[in-house]
Amino acid sequence: MTSNQTLKHYPLSSPQREIWFDQILHPDVPLYNIGGYVRIDGPIDPALFEKALNQVIAENDALRISLHEGESLPTQTFAENVHLKLDFYDFSEQENAHKSALDWIRCEFVKPFQLYDGLLFHFALCKASSLCYYWLKKYHHLIADGWTMSLIVQRVAIAYNAMGQSDCEHHSYKNFLQKDQAYLDSKQFVKDKHYWVNKYRELPEPLLVHQNASQTMKSQRSVLRLKRPFYNQLIEFAKENKVSTFHVILGALYCYFVRTYDREDLVIGLPTLNRSSAAFKQTVGLFVGVSPAKFRFGLDLNFIELIQAIRGILQTNYRYQRFPISELNRQLGLQRENRQQLFDLTLSYICLLYTSDAADDMQCVDLGGRRI
């Protein structure tokens, strides 16, 4: 991969600073590798696939971000000319081709990125058979979030099937940087700060007690799949009580933790889309924020009353959701309390729909990583 860096440097956005601060506390650890692999059922022309990727890279400047060390905070540049030489691996002649391909992908996925002076994504194509390929799509969270990953899969599929044609508008991440800086200098920023600082004048007790807070624990993954009929019941139950399925899940978590840990409150970090316009919803890059939701209902409400109360609190919180969580931590003096966050639990509820017909034969698998 080659790139030609531009000379103009930009500050990090508020969401990027959140990620960067945590990443530098754990150098050489892939805390914020996000992405996964796409299984593509059908024949693929690797050379054409490479061209499609390069078209998408050219049209979405967040993929061309490089960080550079600064005196206090890093800066970022957007390379003008990037040409990806796609890594291609053929496992089709091996005895267990699918397993070999996936083993290689999982090994590659956990390799940390070089944080500065390089591009912060990695694409590779693995052939398991003439009719099955795996596309590794790995990003540092500094340049992408879950919504972005969905956009890129759709756009690569469209570009591959209609090579050389582009039917989507190009939106620059630089527009968000400008909007974000304007927010930090606005009256709304001050209003949001007052809301959150007043809400947390009394710091909540930690939910989970860590034996060694300074030690980075090895991550593990456990998968629980809800059967579709049961999930459909949750959806219908939510509709009947004028809440969302997300509120029902939050209610179940609240009941579990307040009873299991014998407490009357729960603070939980809730990632928010933070894409305030139609243009931003079509822009590749990191936008996602975190809203620290505080629920204190005790044990007196029945479950329907509980989820409706949760809905009310979240509706109010979302008016102030743009306020950066790191700034709130600083305002509350969490470092003096030897704490990194207000919450020990984060819930990300995401519905990513690959709506393009061109993506019908693509099945996406998230390999995880630590995400905000």
Side-chain angles (χ1 to χ4, degrees), residues 237-273:
F237 177 77
K239 288 181 180 178
E240 290 171 4
N241 293 287
K242 296 181 173 57
V243 299
S244 71
T245 311
F246 180 49
H247 299 142
V248 175
I249 295 172
L250 275 174
L253 284 177
Y254 178 85
C255 291
Y256 174 81
F257 280 103
V258 298
R259 292 178 182 275
T260 302
Y261 289 84
D262 191 25
R263 55 192 294 160
E264 294 187 350
D265 62 358
L266 175 66
V267 179
I268 183 169
L270 303 178
T272 58
L273 190 61

Side-chain angles (χ1 to χ4, degrees), residues 298-310:
L299 302 173
D300 296 331
L301 302 181
N302 64 42
F303 190 73
I304 293 175
E305 292 171 335
L306 172 66
I307 57 179
Q308 291 174 343
I310 287 173

Side-chain angles (χ1 to χ4, degrees), residues 128-139:
S129 74
S130 61
L131 296 177
C132 182
Y133 292 76
Y134 294 95
W135 167 30
L136 167 67
K137 51 190 189 72
K138 169 185 168 184
Y139 313 88

Side-chain angles (χ1 to χ4, degrees), residues 36-38 40 49 53 84-89 91 104-105 108 121-127 133-138:
Y37 64 84
V38 178
I40 306 172
F49 193 73
L53 290 172
L84 169 71
K85 180 61 177 176
L86 179 64
D87 293 334
F88 178 71
Y89 300 93
F91 296 92
W104 181 87
I105 286 173
E108 191 67 25
F121 69 89
H122 180 206
F123 294 148
L125 187 65
C126 299
K127 180 180 179 180
Y133 292 76
Y134 294 95
W135 167 30
L136 167 67
K137 51 190 189 72
K138 169 185 168 184

Side-chain angles (χ1 to χ4, degrees), residues 210-319:
H210 303 283
Q211 296 297 324
N212 187 349
S214 63
Q215 182 179 359
T216 302
M217 300 179 65
K218 185 177 181 180
S219 63
Q220 295 180 327
R221 182 185 180 96
S222 179
V223 178
L224 171 65
R225 289 186 171 89
L226 302 181
K227 293 184 178 180
R228 188 71 214 191
F230 176 69
Y231 187 68
N232 289 340
Q233 287 181 316
L234 293 182
I235 295 173
E236 289 304 313
F237 177 77
K239 288 181 180 178
E240 290 171 4
N241 293 287
K242 296 181 173 57
V243 299
S244 71
T245 311
F246 180 49
H247 299 142
V248 175
I249 295 172
L250 275 174
L253 284 177
Y254 178 85
C255 291
Y256 174 81
F257 280 103
V258 298
R259 292 178 182 275
T260 302
Y261 289 84
D262 191 25
R263 55 192 294 160
E264 294 187 350
D265 62 358
L266 175 66
V267 179
I268 183 169
L270 303 178
T272 58
L273 190 61
N274 197 27
R275 294 172 183 256
S276 57
S277 68
F280 285 160
K281 288 179 181 177
Q282 295 301 318
T283 303
V284 166
L286 175 66
F287 289 78
V288 68
V290 178
S291 179
K294 181 179 182 180
F295 305 128
R296 187 179 181 89
F297 306 118
L299 302 173
D300 296 331
L301 302 181
N302 64 42
F303 190 73
I304 293 175
E305 292 171 335
L306 172 66
I307 57 179
Q308 291 174 343
I310 287 173
R311 177 195 61 193
I313 286 181
L314 294 189
Q315 286 176 340
T316 302
N317 284 353
Y318 286 154
R319 300 173 193 167

